[in-house]
Amino acid sequence: MTTLKNPRMRRGLGLLAGTAALALALVGCSGGDDAEPVPERDLGTPVAGEIEEGALAGASLTFAGSGGVFQDGQTEALWDPFAEASGAAFTQDAFDAGKLKAMVDAGNVSWDIVNTTQFDTARGCGTLYEEYDYDQIDTSKIPEGTITDKCMVPQILYGLVVVYNTDAFGDDPPTSAADFFDTEKYPGKRTVSQSTYVDPQTVEFALTAQGKDVAELSVDDIEGAFDMYRGLGDDVIGWTTGAQAQQQLEAGEAVMGLVWSGRGYGAAAAGAPVAPMWDEWMIMVDSNGIPKGVKDKQAAFAAVNYSLGAEQQAKMTELTSYGGVNVDAEPEMDELLTEWMTTEHLDTGISPNVDFWVENYDALAAAWAGWATGS
Amino acid sequence: MSEGSVTEAIAVAGAGRRRRAPENWRPLLLLVPAFVLVSLFFLAPLIDVFVRSVTDPQPGLQNYAWLVSTEANIAVVLRTFGTAIAVTAVCLLLAYPYAYLMTIVSDRTRNLMQLFIMMPLWTSILVRTLAWMVLLQDTGPINGLLAAWFGIGPVPLIRTTFGVALGMSQVLLPFMVLPLYSSMAKIDKRLLPAASNLGANPVTAFFTVYLPLSRPGIFSGGVTVFILGLGFYIIPALLGSSKETMISALIQQQISVFLMWGQGTALGVFLLLCTILILVVVSRVNKQGSLFPGVER
C-alpha cells in the first residue's frame, strides 16, 4: 500500500477514521435496554391444555422451531389456538443454537420457547436455558421418563428408526441393529446421518448392534461405534438433512437407512416401498426449551402447559406425523400413520443415556466432527 | 502528529501542487457514508471475529493450536483448497473458448450467449443443486441412460468430488466468462493476422499474442472463482458426502452445533488469511508477468 504523502488527504482519512470510531462507539452503546418487569399473574393450578380466556392479554411470545411441515403443524395445533384463548400475540421464527447463544450472550433474547433436543437443554441448563417451574406445568399426562432434565418439557416423541426397502427384503426383513451392519445377509447401501448436527442416538445404535447396553457406556466405546459405520465401506452413504434421507429412500438409492421416523413415514406416504423396523429403535424426544433471560417466563410456561393438552397433542400428531406427549391423546390415524407412530412401539424402543452424553460431550463432538467430515 | 509538522507538511505540499491541493481531500468526504457502512457492518464484526478467536473460551492461541493439531481440520482445509483449485481450472477451460466465441459472433448470437450465461444466476443455487441431485444420483437419469445404452453402472456421480466440482463449476462459470469476455473484447483482432504475417503459426500466435493479452481476464476471473469456491457450503453438503466436506461446514458446525465460537472464528480467520495471502501472491505474479514462460515484459 502506498503511503499518503498529501497531508490533506491524511486529514480526510483522519475524518473518516473518526466517523468510523464514533459509529462503532454508538453500536457498542446500544442494546441492553431493560424492559419493565412483567407483573406476576394468578393463573391458578395448571391443567394441561387449558388457559383462562384472555389471561395473557398484552403478552407477546415467539416460538423458534425447526421449520417445515413440523412447525406449520405445531403452529396450527398448539400455538395459534393458545394465542386465541389467552390473548397473547404469538409469532414464529426458525431455531438455531448458535443464534440462541448470541442472544443470551448479548442479553437480548427475542425467543420465548424453542424447539431443541433433550441433549441441548440438558447441556445448556442454567446457562442457555431457564429451569422450569414444574408447579406451573401440568406434567401428569406426560409419558414416563421423557422429562430428562430440569430445563425441558417434552415436545414430541419420535425416533431414530431403521427403515428398509420392502422390495429388497420382503420376506426376510432386518430385525435387529446388528442386521443393519450385516451386509452379507442384507446387501445394499445404507444411509446414516453424517450431518454436522451431532446425534448421540446414532452412536448408541451402533453400540446396541455390538450388544452393549446404552445404560452403561464408557468413553472408549465412542470411537468403536464410528468404526462400525466406517467398516461398512462403500455400502454406507450419508444424509445431511432429513429431506435428503427421505429422498435417498424414495429414490431407492439406499435399501436401508437409519433415519428419523417422520422422514420414513414421509417416504412411505409418498409411495416408496419402505417399512420401519421396530425391533430395536432409538427413542428421541425434542425439548420445549425456554431461553435464559426470557422476558415473560410465566407466559412461556403457560404456553407450554397449554400445548400439552390431549386435544392439542392429538391434532399436532395428525398434522405432523410425530408422536404426541400426552398419554391421553387419541389422534385419528390411518393405517399407514399407525404403522409409523413411535408412541405405539415404546416397549421396544431404547431410551438414550442423556447423562452420559452430557458428561462426555467433548469426546462425542470430536469423534462426530471426524465422522461428519470424512476422516 | 504535532500541529507544527502538519502546517509544515501542508506548506511543503502546497508549494508543489499549489492549485490542486485545496480541493484534494474534499472528494474523500463522498466516501464517508460508504466508510461508515463498511466499518459498522463489515470491519466491526471482522474485528469481533478475530478477537473471539484469541479470547474464547480463554485468552490464548488454543483455538489455533486446535485448528492445526486436529487431523480432520487439516484434511478439510486441504480439501477445500484442492476443490477450489479444481473448480477454477474447470471453469477456465470451459469459459475460455466460450468467451472467445462471444467476441467473434454476431451481436445477436452474442446476446443469446450472454443470456445463457446469465440465466442460471436468476435461479436459486439451492434449486439448481437439487436438480443436480436428481440428475446425478445412482438411480437418476444419467445413470439410467448409461445402463440402457452401454450396460454400465451405476457410475458414482453424486457423493464424489466430481459431483461437487460439477455443481460448483456450473454456479461459478458466469464469474469466469464475464471478465474473460470483457478483457478479450478489448484485444485488437488484427494482432493475430499480424502475427501470422510475421511467420507465427496459429498455435504460436495464440500463445505468444492472444493468451498474454487476455491474461487480465484470466486473473480476475480465476481469482473470483477461486475465492468464491473456497466458501461454498450448500453444494458440498448436498452433492458430496462427508468426504467432500469443506471449511464452511466445519465453521457452521463449530458455531451452531458445538457452540465453540472460539474454534469457529479461528477457522474463519485462518480462511481469510489464506485468501489474502493467495491474493497477494497472485497479484505479484500478475504484475511481473512470469506466470507464462517465454513472455517477458
Side-chain angles (χ1 to χ4, degrees):
Chain A
M1 195 176 140
T2 50
T3 46
L4 290 168
K5 299 245 167 51
N6 188 325
R8 295 196 183 211
M9 289 280 273
R10 272 197 216 160
R11 185 188 278 179
L13 281 185
L15 193 71
L16 285 180
T19 330
L22 188 72
L24 287 179
L26 280 174
V27 168
C29 292
S30 68
D33 47 326
D34 288 3
E36 299 236 329
V38 181
E40 196 78 1
R41 316 166 183 90
D42 181 20
L43 297 176
T45 314
V47 178
E50 288 180 19
I51 181 87
E52 202 182 311
E53 193 77 29
L56 294 167
S60 69
L61 292 166
T62 301
F63 173 70
S66 55
V69 179
F70 180 30
Q71 192 171 352
D72 289 346
Q74 290 174 308
T75 305
E76 192 180 333
L78 316 174
W79 309 127
D80 281 353
F82 170 77
E84 201 172 316
S86 68
F90 220 105
T91 47
Q92 303 289 322
D93 202 352
F95 178 71
D96 177 278
K99 214 162 151 184
L100 174 69
K101 180 176 151 68
M103 286 182 182
V104 173
D105 284 357
N108 190 7
V109 178
S110 58
W111 294 335
D112 301 276
I113 304 165
V114 300
N115 174 24
T116 183
T117 76
Q118 57 194 148
F119 303 101
D120 283 349
T121 44
R123 215 158 62 86
C125 195
T127 52
L128 283 178
Y129 299 98
E130 295 279 358
E131 282 192 19
Y132 271 93
D133 173 2
Y134 291 111
D135 289 341
Q136 296 188 40
I137 312 270
D138 175 9
T139 54
S140 60
K141 300 294 176 190
I142 294 176
E144 213 186 308
T146 51
I147 297 185
T148 47
D149 69 83
K150 286 181 183 149
C151 290
M152 75 92 83
V153 161
Q155 186 161 92
I156 49 160
L157 233 161
Y158 62 118
L160 200 62
V161 179
V162 170
V163 176
Y164 61 89
N165 189 307
T166 48
D167 289 349
F169 315 118
D171 297 335
D172 182 25
T175 55
S176 69
D179 285 349
F180 186 82
F181 295 93
D182 190 343
T183 50
E184 273 182 28
K185 200 169 162 202
Y186 298 98
K189 291 205 190 320
R190 290 95 163 102
T191 186
V192 57
S193 171
Q194 271 194 324
S195 80
T196 54
Y197 184 76
V198 181
D199 210 348
Q201 274 99 341
T202 302
V203 180
E204 289 184 338
F205 178 78
L207 295 175
T208 303
Q210 289 179 348
K212 293 210 166 71
D213 182 357
V214 297
E216 293 161 27
L217 297 177
S218 87
V219 188
D220 303 329
D221 293 334
I222 298 176
E223 272 302 328
F226 290 106
D227 288 342
M228 291 278 284
Y229 291 110
R230 292 192 180 100
L232 289 169
D234 287 344
D235 282 330
V236 67
I237 56 179
W239 54 265
T240 47
T241 62
Q244 196 182 15
Q246 182 175 334
Q247 190 267 344
Q248 288 168 346
L249 286 168
E250 280 180 31
E253 274 209 285
V255 295
M256 230 191 265
L258 187 61
V259 305
W260 294 323
S261 50
R263 289 304 183 169
Y265 168 76
V274 292
M277 179 191 96
W278 290 117
D279 304 85
E280 284 180 315
W281 65 282
M282 318 308 291
I283 297 175
M284 301 180 105
V285 176
D286 269 4
S287 295
N288 272 310
I290 310 289
K292 184 85 187 166
V294 76
K295 291 183 185 73
D296 193 348
K297 226 195 280 188
Q298 200 193 11
F301 289 159
V304 169
N305 182 61
Y306 181 87
S307 77
L308 295 172
E311 203 184 307
Q312 289 86 339
Q313 288 294 316
K315 192 169 179 202
M316 195 270 300
T317 297
E318 288 163 13
L319 290 168
T320 66
S321 88
Y322 284 107
V325 288
N326 184 316
V327 290
D328 294 341
E330 286 173 355
E332 273 182 40
M333 301 187 289
D334 59 14
E335 204 181 322
L336 186 68
L337 187 52
T338 313
E339 190 191 341
W340 286 88
M341 191 50 54
T342 47
T343 42
E344 306 278 309
H345 302 275
L346 286 175
D347 50 330
T348 52
I350 297 166
S351 294
N353 191 340
V354 179
D355 292 343
F356 174 81
W357 296 115
V358 170
E359 209 168 296
N360 298 290
Y361 189 82
D362 288 347
L364 172 66
W368 187 275
W371 162 243
T373 55
S375 52
Chain B
M1 190 187 288
S2 75
E3 189 58 40
S5 71
V6 172
T7 349
E8 224 173 81
I10 292 173
V12 172
R17 298 179 180 177
R18 189 173 294 272
R19 301 182 70 170
R20 275 180 54 204
E23 296 96 338
N24 236 351
W25 60 274
R26 287 206 181 114
L28 282 176
L29 280 179
L30 290 172
L31 283 176
V32 169
F35 196 78
V36 169
L37 212 65
V38 168
S39 309
L40 274 182
F41 297 107
F42 183 73
L43 274 180
L46 200 63
I47 291 168
D48 181 57
V49 162
F50 177 76
V51 170
R52 262 179 203 278
S53 76
V54 289
T55 56
D56 192 343
Q58 64 255 7
L61 291 174
Q62 75 278 357
N63 292 322
Y64 292 92
W66 163 82
L67 200 166
V68 294
S69 66
T70 309
E71 219 174 294
N73 291 345
I74 305 293
V76 171
V77 166
L78 291 177
R79 182 187 301 148
T80 305
F81 281 88
T83 309
I85 289 170
V87 169
T88 311
V90 170
C91 281
L92 184 61
L93 286 176
L94 293 174
Y96 202 89
Y98 193 92
Y100 177 72
L101 215 58
M102 277 173 72
T103 63
I104 56 172
V105 294
S106 68
D107 280 353
R108 233 183 114 159
T109 321
R110 175 160 54 247
N111 286 339
L112 203 65
M113 289 180 80
Q114 204 142 22
L115 189 71
F116 283 147
I117 277 296
M118 300 302 292
M119 222 154 46
L121 287 179
W122 304 335
T123 320
S124 126
I125 289 190
L126 188 60
V127 171
R128 279 187 278 165
T129 309
L130 290 174
W132 278 119
M133 272 174 72
V134 174
L135 289 173
L136 296 179
Q137 66 193 8
D138 291 354
T139 49
I142 294 178
N143 268 313
L145 287 180
L146 286 176
W149 290 351
F150 306 104
I152 51 170
V155 180
L157 300 170
I158 197 167
R159 292 182 296 275
T160 61
T161 309
F162 170 80
V164 173
L166 188 68
M168 285 173 66
S169 303
Q170 195 251 339
V171 170
L172 292 171
L173 198 59
F175 299 99
M176 186 67 100
V177 169
L178 297 176
L180 268 179
Y181 168 71
S182 78
S183 92
M184 283 177 179
K186 289 190 204 113
I187 299 174
D188 192 334
K189 289 285 170 317
R190 290 168 304 180
L191 287 171
L192 287 175
S196 48
N197 261 353
L198 294 171
N201 63 34
V203 176
T204 319
F206 173 76
F207 278 105
T208 54
V209 178
Y210 199 83
L211 189 62
L213 286 172
S214 65
R215 210 173 51 199
I218 298 178
F219 272 107
S220 59
V223 166
T224 311
V225 168
F226 179 75
I227 287 173
L228 287 175
L230 286 178
F232 265 56
Y233 175 72
I234 292 176
I235 291 181
L238 293 182
L239 295 182
S241 71
S242 60
K243 292 188 175 60
E244 283 78 38
T245 306
M246 292 182 35
I247 291 183
S248 336
L250 217 55
I251 296 177
Q252 181 268 344
Q253 187 181 41
Q254 295 299 329
I255 300 281
S256 274
V257 184
F258 298 161
L259 303 183
M260 303 277 203
W261 286 17
Q263 296 181 356
T265 49
L267 280 165
V269 170
F270 175 77
L271 185 61
L272 180 68
L273 291 180
C274 289
T275 311
I276 291 173
L277 189 74
I278 288 164
L279 275 178
V280 168
V281 170
V282 167
S283 68
R284 285 273 156 111
V285 173
N286 192 16
K287 267 188 198 120
Q288 285 164 8
S290 56
L291 197 64
F292 297 102
V295 179
E296 301 289 336
R297 279 221 169 155

